[in-house]
């Protein structure tokens, strides 16, 4: 007796060829979707949400595009995940990693159709990836010892990263901003202490880096507008106890004078709390929660600047920057760490007033103020800058640098080709396929720039047969250019992450031979 069904009614399964086809097609479709955003002449995508307000995002950051898509195909989800991980790990190369994985699968599909077993393809890919990684690590440049050269390397990397983004027109300016900000971190990869404030108005060129910390609040009425040698207490506490704060509590009184007594008692309680805070010997009090009129009045009388409702990220950063701690009880002042800075004043950016803290304890912190025509431009500028900051902070730790513009892919492809010639057996086909997939990246960069990609890649390949060649695609002049002269550099860490993640993702999708979809849960079963 044959077992017909083991799954529920609406569950479906696909086996063998069909499952593999579904995986390949899904993954290649995702790669085709983002591949037009690759390179300096890549185009942007508009993403429109179906939610309230129909929000529109304009971006060419691979991870942002893929994050916003709702995808049904399981193999495509794997690619979305690797691009997210690439974004979190090194910040840049989110599009490259998806495109490379897609190309590896496209080549694998041809091999599977030629009756080569997926496991053979996978072991070939493994060998090829190892070989490519070795050749990359032999060709890196490391200028960690020479501060001048290292800084110019960082500038080049920042410019290369920004050149495919919206900031490409002002990349000198923004590369300088990003390098300065990252140099201040002194080797930590914690980007929390770089704050990015977006203010519409002005042009992108008006953006600047501020040494201190800027809090997006106004200074209250009747409070000092400028404080020198500030001692700052950062707190997260309720300053609104002029009501009985027990839910559902009722107070029964037999005359109005009793109500007045309760009010007076509450005011006294508040006054005591304020006295305790003032006893810390501070002249600036910043609270996460609201400060009501009465305590604000008391602070103003004591000549203390009180700022209410500072957003939580602002508070955390401020505590980090001024060297203070966030306090919520004030009974023993000696245990609370108070923050310091040289000057607090109000500044104007565009139409808005903000509070500026300069001369902070921790020299690491700084604020980048972005100006731009609209919110869409500012959001995209922030994403681009964030990518650059991530890459730079990683490069400060791992200072190995490669040339860019399709140069790394060409040298990897050349070595992998050599390996394919030496390898006996069917694996050599897989290794050759790997080198073809690597060539797809320079091909797509050239295609996106409207150049004749077949001719460009053929020229490049011929150039790369010379020893010590530094040729890559120069999309600005539309020919093969010298990457070392043009100053197009990329971080080794980014390239390595792209190579390894893409290979692993392709392997994972290649291993699939069956897709089982669960039956959807029924609503009425719960009754």
């Amino acid at each position: 007796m044959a077992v017909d069904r083991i799954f529920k009614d609406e569950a479906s399964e696909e086996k063998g060829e069909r499952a593999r086809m579904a995986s390949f097609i899904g993954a290649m479709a995702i790669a085709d979707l983002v591949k037009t955003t690759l390179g300096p002449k890549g185009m942007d995508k508009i993403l429109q949400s179906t939610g309230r307000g129909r929000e529109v995002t304009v971006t060419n950051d691979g991870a942002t595009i893929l994050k916003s898509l709702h995808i049904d195909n399981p193999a495509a989800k794997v690619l979305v995940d690797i691009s997210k991980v690439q974004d979190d790990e090194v910040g840049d190369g989110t599009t490259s990693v998806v495109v490379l994985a897609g190309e590896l699968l496209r080549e694998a599909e041809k091999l599977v159709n030629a009756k080569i077993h997926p496991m053979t393809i996978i072991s070939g890919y493994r060998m090829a990836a190892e070989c490519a990684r070795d050749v990359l690590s032999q060709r890196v440049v490391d200028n960690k010892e020479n501060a001048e050269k290292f800084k110019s390397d960082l500038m080049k990397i920042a410019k290369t990263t920004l050149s495919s983004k919206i900031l490409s027109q002002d990349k000198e300016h923004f590369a300088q901003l990003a390098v300065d900000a990252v140099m201040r971190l002194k080797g930590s990869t914690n980007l929390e202490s770089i704050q990015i404030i977006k203010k519409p108005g002005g042009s992108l060129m008006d953006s600047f880096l501020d040494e201190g910390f800027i809090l997006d609040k106004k200074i209250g009425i009747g409070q000092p507008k400028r404080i020198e040698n500030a001692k700052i207490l950062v707190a997260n506490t309720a300053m609104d106890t002029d009501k009985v704060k027990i839910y559902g509590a009722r107070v029964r009184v037999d005359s109005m004078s009793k109500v007045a007594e309760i009010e007076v008692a509450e005011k006294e309680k508040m006054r005591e709390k304020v006295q305790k805070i003032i006893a810390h010997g501070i002249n600036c009090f910043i609270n996460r929660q609201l400060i009501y009129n009465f305590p604000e009045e008391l602070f103003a009388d004591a000549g203390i600047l009180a700022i209410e409702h500072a957003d939580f990220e602002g508070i955390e950063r401020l505590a980090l920057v001024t060297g203070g701690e966030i306090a919520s009880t004030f009974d023993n002042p000696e245990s609370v760490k108070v923050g310091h800075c040289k000057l607090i004043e109000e500044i104007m950016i565009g139409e808005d007033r903000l509070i500026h803290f300069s001369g902070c304890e921790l020299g690491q912190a700084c604020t980048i103020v972005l100006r731009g025509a609209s919110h869409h431009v500012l959001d995209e500028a922030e994403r681009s800058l964030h990518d650059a900051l991530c890459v730079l902070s990683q490069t400060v730790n791992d200072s190995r640098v490669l040339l860019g513009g399709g140069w790394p892919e060409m040298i990897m492809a050349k070595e992998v080709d050599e390996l394919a010639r030496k390898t006996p057996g069917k694996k050599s086909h897989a290794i050759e396929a790997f080198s073809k997939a690597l060539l797809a990246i320079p091909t797509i960069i050239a295609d996106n720039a409207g150049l004749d990609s077949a001719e460009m890649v053929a020229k490049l390949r011929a150039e790369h047969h010379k020893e010590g060649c530094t040729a890559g695609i120069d999309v600005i002049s539309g020919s093969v250019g010298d990457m070392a002269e043009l100053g197009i550099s990329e971080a080794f860490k980014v390239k390595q992450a792209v190579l390894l993640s893409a290979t692993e993702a392709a392997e994972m999708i290649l291993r699939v031979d069956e897709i089982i979809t669960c039956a959807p849960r029924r609503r009425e079963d719960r009754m």
Side-chain angles (χ1 to χ4, degrees), residues 184-201:
R184 294 176 72 93
L185 292 178
K186 301 184 179 62
S188 92
T189 51
N190 179 16
L191 296 177
E192 287 289 298
S193 40
I194 300 177
Q195 182 195 19
I196 297 181
I197 287 185
K198 299 178 289 192
K199 288 282 168 210

Side-chain angles (χ1 to χ4, degrees), residues 370-387:
L370 289 178
R371 308 297 311 278
S374 71
H375 285 290
H376 302 138
V377 174
L378 285 174
D379 289 344
E380 176 63 359
E382 183 187 18
R383 278 190 290 270
S384 316
L385 198 61
H386 185 261
D387 280 4

Side-chain angles (χ1 to χ4, degrees), residues 310-334:
D311 58 330
F312 196 70
E313 282 177 2
I315 280 238
E316 290 223 311
R317 274 205 196 97
L318 191 71
L320 184 83
V321 170
T322 55
E325 281 169 4
I326 298 179
S328 43
T329 54
F330 310 101
D331 291 331
N332 34 359
E334 61 282 346

Side-chain angles (χ1 to χ4, degrees), residues 485-498:
E485 271 177 35
L486 292 167
I488 297 175
S489 300
E490 293 186 61
F492 171 71
K493 197 161 182 185
V494 175
K495 274 289 168 229
Q496 177 180 304
V498 166

